Structures are given as C-alpha cells and as structure tokens.
Amino acid sequence: MPADERYDATPYLPSRGGIPAHRKAAAECEGCPLYRDATATVFGRGDPHARMMLVGEQPGDREDLEGEPFVGPAGRLLSRALAEVGIDEAEVYLTNAVKHFSFTRKGPGKRRIHKAPSLRETLACRPWLEAELRLVAPEMVVVLGATAGRSLLGPTFRVGSDRGVVRPLPDADGIRCVATIHPSAVLRADDRDAALAGLTADLRVAARAL
Ligand code: URA
Ligand code: SF4
C-alpha cells in the first residue's frame, strides 16, 4: 500500500454476512501496513451472540502464530481472572482493537517484541471492531487497556482515571462498558498480585452490571 493511501479497513469489509463472513474477509485485509509483517489476521473468537464482549489491544506473538486471540500468556491470565469472577469464557466474545500483530525485532535472536499500534493503525482497524459490535450486539463491553480505550472511548482515554466504572459506550445504542487494565500490564506489573486484584475487581463490576 503506497504511503499516501488511506489507512482504512472499510473497503475490505463484506457488505453482508455474520461473524464468519467477516472473519473470512478480514483474513485478506490490507487496510493498514500491519498485515505485511504479521502471519495472519487474528479476528475475534467466542460466542457470536455473547452478552459480554472483551476488547484487547492486538494479537501477541502466540496469537499471530495460532490465528486466535488471547491464546498466549495474557490470555491465560485473562481466563483465570474471568473464572475467578464467575464469567464463563465460553459465553463471552473476545477480540482486539487491532487485528494484526505489531512488533519490532530485537536482540541477537531477532525476537519479535510487541510494539503498540499507532493511533492511525488503531483507527484504520476500527471498522472490524465496529462490525463485531454490531453483529454480536453485546450488552457489556470490557475495554482492556489504553489501545482499546482510545479506539472505543476516544483518543483522550486514560486507563488510570477511567477504569472500573460502568458507563455508556459512545455511539453504541445502549451498550455499556467498563474499562480496565490490560492483562499484559498485569504480567509486567511490579506488584502482580495487586494488579491482578484490580483487573478482577473491574471484571466483577462488569459482571454484576449484566
Ligand atoms: N493481548 C491482547 O490484547 N490480545 C491478545 O489477543 C493477546 C494479547
Ligand atoms: Fe487491516 Fe486491521 Fe490488519 Fe490493518 S491491522 S491490515 S486494518 S486487519
């Protein structure tokens, strides 16, 4: 894609169909440059009629290789936190604000290191997330971390000040949301137990509001 072209997934969206049709079309998305270095588009997974949808940042290394969201270390931590508050993972829909893995290569082994997607890439990918919101039509969206927050709640979103309260999801017709920290941030935290307790508390707020 030439540099002057628009960052926008819209031309790749199917004009009809449900989640399976969108997942299939997203596999061919070239709506921003992230598709070039990643292995696969990682679309959402879970119950396509879920009452709760959780939105992360972007796939990680494992998700990129497996083509499914939240199957690596952050996903395992999220699964544990969901179980702790009594949310059945089989009954939720899990997805990301950005559908391709953004990374840089570092070190002697040139390992792939997570690199936060830019706002421009996040906004380019938003049509897929909007389609998932429309098709799944959840009652509650859990916004995991700053990238999902900027995509869904606006560019001034800050996790620190905006987490843990139920509020309307903007432009979303009665859908409510709760923001919280990203499970990867729990894994990186100095005090992991406290960070996990915070994530769990926020998930409980979302579960109780359902
Ligand atoms: N982090 C995310 O935000 N999403 C995933 O799918 C995995 C890790
Ligand atoms: Fe398309 Fe999103 Fe991938 Fe960019 S990150 S190519 S917009 S699916």
Side-chain angles (χ1 to χ4, degrees):
M1 185 171 67
D4 60 352
E5 215 170 298
R6 287 205 304 159
Y7 276 47
D8 187 3
T10 308
Y12 300 90
L13 263 75
S15 54
R16 55 170 63 185
I19 291 288
H22 283 70
R23 173 182 264 261
K24 194 162 170 230
E28 309 299 324
C29 185
E30 298 183 1
C32 83
L34 290 182
Y35 75 92
R36 286 195 200 131
D37 296 327
T39 309
T41 307
V42 178
F43 208 67
R45 70 171 162 97
D47 181 352
H49 305 293
R51 295 176 67 202
M52 180 183 281
M53 176 160 157
L54 294 98
V55 182
E57 181 184 68
Q58 59 152 351
D61 185 75
R62 286 240 45 93
E63 288 78 15
D64 173 73
L65 297 173
E66 293 189 26
E68 296 288 337
F70 290 107
V71 292
R76 279 196 294 282
L77 185 125
L78 182 60
S79 297
R80 280 213 304 280
L82 287 171
E84 169 129 7
V85 303
I87 300 171
D88 184 350
E89 196 173 323
E91 290 181 1
V92 303
Y93 185 85
L94 292 164
T95 194
N96 287 302
V98 172
K99 306 297 197 247
H100 274 108
F101 181 33
S102 165
F103 61 92
T104 52
R105 289 194 182 271
K106 276 207 191 117
K110 293 272 174 217
R111 281 203 325 129
R112 305 194 301 172
I113 307 296
H114 162 277
K115 176 178 177 228
S118 68
L119 183 60
R120 199 172 175 206
E121 289 155 352
T122 305
L123 296 180
C125 209
R126 194 164 64 177
W128 293 117
L129 183 57
E130 286 168 357
E132 289 173 298
L133 278 169
R134 180 172 52 78
L135 294 166
V136 177
E139 292 164 44
M140 172 63 66
V141 173
V142 177
V143 179
L144 298 166
T147 299
R150 281 197 291 269
S151 180
L152 289 168
L153 300 167
T156 62
F157 173 83
R158 294 284 174 275
V159 186
S161 48
D162 294 337
R163 66 183 290 184
V165 291
V166 180
R167 66 165 106 190
L169 191 70
D171 311 315
D173 232 4
I175 302 177
R176 292 173 303 155
C177 68
V178 172
T180 186
I181 53 169
H182 195 283
S184 302
V186 175
L187 294 174
R188 285 193 306 266
D190 293 331
D191 188 344
R192 266 204 205 189
D193 290 346
L196 180 57
L199 171 64
T200 307
D202 294 342
L203 288 176
R204 193 168 279 121
V205 169
R208 289 211 173 127
L210 263 187

mmCIF file of all heavy atoms in Angstrom, residues 56-60 63 69-70 74 96 182, ligand 1:
data_model
loop_
_atom_site.group_PDB
_atom_site.id
_atom_site.type_symbol
_atom_site.label_atom_id
_atom_site.label_comp_id
_atom_site.label_asym_id
_atom_site.label_seq_id
_atom_site.Cartn_x
_atom_site.Cartn_y
_atom_site.Cartn_z
ATOM 1 N N GLY A 56 -9.265 -6.360 23.624
ATOM 2 C CA GLY A 56 -7.867 -6.124 23.966
ATOM 3 C C GLY A 56 -7.201 -5.184 22.982
ATOM 4 O O GLY A 56 -7.863 -4.434 22.259
ATOM 5 N N GLU A 57 -5.885 -5.235 22.945
ATOM 6 C CA GLU A 57 -5.137 -4.317 22.091
ATOM 7 C C GLU A 57 -4.921 -4.884 20.698
ATOM 8 O O GLU A 57 -5.446 -4.405 19.699
ATOM 9 C CB GLU A 57 -3.794 -4.007 22.746
ATOM 10 C CG GLU A 57 -2.958 -3.038 21.920
ATOM 11 C CD GLU A 57 -1.587 -2.822 22.522
ATOM 12 O OE1 GLU A 57 -0.780 -3.772 22.530
ATOM 13 O OE2 GLU A 57 -1.332 -1.696 22.985
ATOM 14 N N GLN A 58 -4.106 -5.918 20.644
ATOM 15 C CA GLN A 58 -3.732 -6.524 19.373
ATOM 16 C C GLN A 58 -3.219 -7.920 19.688
ATOM 17 O O GLN A 58 -2.866 -8.211 20.827
ATOM 18 C CB GLN A 58 -2.617 -5.708 18.719
ATOM 19 C CG GLN A 58 -1.380 -5.607 19.597
ATOM 20 C CD GLN A 58 -0.092 -5.448 18.815
ATOM 21 O OE1 GLN A 58 -0.076 -5.563 17.614
ATOM 22 N NE2 GLN A 58 0.997 -5.188 19.514
ATOM 23 N N PRO A 59 -3.166 -8.799 18.683
ATOM 24 C CA PRO A 59 -2.628 -10.133 18.965
ATOM 25 C C PRO A 59 -1.171 -10.047 19.376
ATOM 26 O O PRO A 59 -0.446 -9.145 18.956
ATOM 27 C CB PRO A 59 -2.780 -10.875 17.632
ATOM 28 C CG PRO A 59 -3.095 -9.848 16.593
ATOM 29 C CD PRO A 59 -3.601 -8.632 17.297
ATOM 30 N N GLY A 60 -0.741 -10.973 20.190
ATOM 31 C CA GLY A 60 0.675 -11.095 20.541
ATOM 32 C C GLY A 60 1.336 -12.145 19.656
ATOM 33 O O GLY A 60 0.745 -12.628 18.686
ATOM 34 N N GLU A 63 -0.624 -15.419 19.447
ATOM 35 C CA GLU A 63 -1.888 -15.234 18.733
ATOM 36 C C GLU A 63 -1.642 -15.103 17.236
ATOM 37 O O GLU A 63 -2.381 -15.644 16.413
ATOM 38 C CB GLU A 63 -2.603 -13.981 19.255
ATOM 39 C CG GLU A 63 -3.197 -14.117 20.655
ATOM 40 C CD GLU A 63 -2.176 -13.991 21.780
ATOM 41 O OE1 GLU A 63 -1.041 -13.521 21.512
ATOM 42 O OE2 GLU A 63 -2.510 -14.351 22.931
ATOM 43 N N PRO A 69 -7.274 -14.980 19.108
ATOM 44 C CA PRO A 69 -6.925 -14.011 20.155
ATOM 45 C C PRO A 69 -6.815 -14.645 21.538
ATOM 46 O O PRO A 69 -7.486 -15.639 21.823
ATOM 47 C CB PRO A 69 -8.102 -13.032 20.122
ATOM 48 C CG PRO A 69 -9.254 -13.827 19.618
ATOM 49 C CD PRO A 69 -8.661 -14.838 18.666
ATOM 50 N N PHE A 70 -5.983 -14.058 22.366
ATOM 51 C CA PHE A 70 -5.869 -14.421 23.786
ATOM 52 C C PHE A 70 -5.584 -15.902 24.002
ATOM 53 O O PHE A 70 -6.229 -16.548 24.815
ATOM 54 C CB PHE A 70 -7.129 -13.983 24.550
ATOM 55 C CG PHE A 70 -7.237 -12.486 24.682
ATOM 56 C CD1 PHE A 70 -8.168 -11.758 23.943
ATOM 57 C CD2 PHE A 70 -6.381 -11.800 25.530
ATOM 58 C CE1 PHE A 70 -8.238 -10.380 24.054
ATOM 59 C CE2 PHE A 70 -6.457 -10.419 25.656
ATOM 60 C CZ PHE A 70 -7.385 -9.717 24.910
ATOM 61 N N ALA A 74 -1.003 -13.622 28.162
ATOM 62 C CA ALA A 74 -2.018 -12.652 28.605
ATOM 63 C C ALA A 74 -3.404 -13.298 28.591
ATOM 64 O O ALA A 74 -4.230 -13.050 29.481
ATOM 65 C CB ALA A 74 -2.005 -11.408 27.709
ATOM 66 N N ASN A 96 -9.833 -7.977 19.625
ATOM 67 C CA ASN A 96 -8.829 -6.930 19.803
ATOM 68 C C ASN A 96 -9.179 -5.696 18.986
ATOM 69 O O ASN A 96 -9.844 -5.795 17.957
ATOM 70 C CB ASN A 96 -7.453 -7.447 19.361
ATOM 71 C CG ASN A 96 -6.864 -8.436 20.341
ATOM 72 O OD1 ASN A 96 -6.674 -8.116 21.508
ATOM 73 N ND2 ASN A 96 -6.603 -9.644 19.872
ATOM 74 N N HIS A 182 -4.987 -3.804 30.929
ATOM 75 C CA HIS A 182 -4.782 -4.933 30.036
ATOM 76 C C HIS A 182 -4.127 -6.083 30.798
ATOM 77 O O HIS A 182 -3.259 -5.844 31.639
ATOM 78 C CB HIS A 182 -3.879 -4.480 28.880
ATOM 79 C CG HIS A 182 -3.909 -5.455 27.769
ATOM 80 N ND1 HIS A 182 -3.214 -6.633 27.821
ATOM 81 C CD2 HIS A 182 -4.582 -5.443 26.614
ATOM 82 C CE1 HIS A 182 -3.467 -7.311 26.710
ATOM 83 N NE2 HIS A 182 -4.294 -6.603 25.964
HETATM 84 N N1 URA B 1 -3.027 -9.149 24.113
HETATM 85 C C1 URA B 1 -4.126 -8.695 23.501
HETATM 86 O O1 URA B 1 -4.516 -7.552 23.623
HETATM 87 N N2 URA B 1 -4.800 -9.506 22.746
HETATM 88 C C2 URA B 1 -4.465 -10.766 22.555
HETATM 89 O O2 URA B 1 -5.168 -11.431 21.816
HETATM 90 C C3 URA B 1 -3.315 -11.236 23.208
HETATM 91 C C4 URA B 1 -2.599 -10.407 23.978
#
